[in-house]
Amino acid sequence: MKTIIWVIFGLLAIIWTGIVSMTLKLVHWLLGSIGDVRVPVPTAPPTTAPLPDWMPPWIDANWVHALQAGIADTLNHINQVLPILNGLSGWLTVLGWFTWGVIMALLLVLALLLHWLAGRNWNPQQPPSSGSPPNGPPPSQGSGEPPRLPSS
């Protein structure tokens, strides 16, 4: 039973390490790729963009142009923030391996607890260590002879 506990612990440790390693490599690659990207920002002023024919009766054209200008401004801000993501992958790597260590410590504590429980004696009624049967007479004291088993 103890062997099974430690084999399962080893398999879980290998699987958990692989998951964390591959996830952190993927995050590093993804953040590096995103950090090198530039979002295209429209260069034309929003007032020159034509509105669909169905829109003017329902929505004010000035509101639509203000919304378009806000989106263009947001895209400019995103272009300024994206390079920061390259540096963020370093922090995420540290956080990921710290989380790996915490989970591995919990797995180890669980394996040690199960190991202890598997080795524990769950039957408190064992025969005495003198070798006499539990219902038989006690060995004679002081006769100098070794104790004998009762004959049947």
Side-chain angles (χ1 to χ4, degrees):
M1 184 66 169
K2 291 179 182 180
T3 305
I4 293 172
I5 292 169
W6 289 107
V7 166
I8 290 173
F9 168 77
L11 289 174
L12 287 175
I14 290 170
I15 291 169
W16 175 238
T17 303
I19 287 171
V20 169
S21 177
M22 295 306 288
T23 301
L24 290 176
K25 287 180 182 184
L26 179 66
V27 165
H28 181 72
W29 169 79
L30 186 64
L31 290 178
S33 298
I34 291 173
D36 295 337
V37 171
R38 291 283 175 231
V39 177
V41 179
T43 56
T47 56
T48 61
L51 295 176
D53 294 335
W54 59 269
M55 194 175 280
W58 299 99
I59 298 174
D60 184 24
N62 291 330
W63 184 82
V64 172
H65 293 305
L67 180 64
Q68 289 173 338
I71 290 173
D73 191 39
T74 302
L75 293 176
N76 277 327
H77 289 297
I78 288 174
N79 281 335
Q80 293 174 2
V81 172
L82 284 178
I84 295 172
L85 294 178
N86 280 335
L88 186 62
S89 67
W91 285 98
L92 289 177
T93 301
V94 171
L95 181 64
W97 285 116
F98 177 77
T99 304
W100 172 85
V102 168
I103 299 296
M104 284 302 296
L106 291 174
L107 277 175
L108 181 61
V109 167
L110 179 65
L112 288 170
L113 178 68
L114 290 174
H115 180 91
W116 176 74
L117 288 173
R120 188 167 182 226
N121 182 12
W122 292 98
N123 186 7
Q125 297 177 349
Q126 285 190 344
S129 61
S130 65
S132 63
N135 296 333
S140 58
Q141 300 291 328
S143 67
E145 294 181 17
R148 297 184 182 261
L149 294 174
S151 56
S152 39

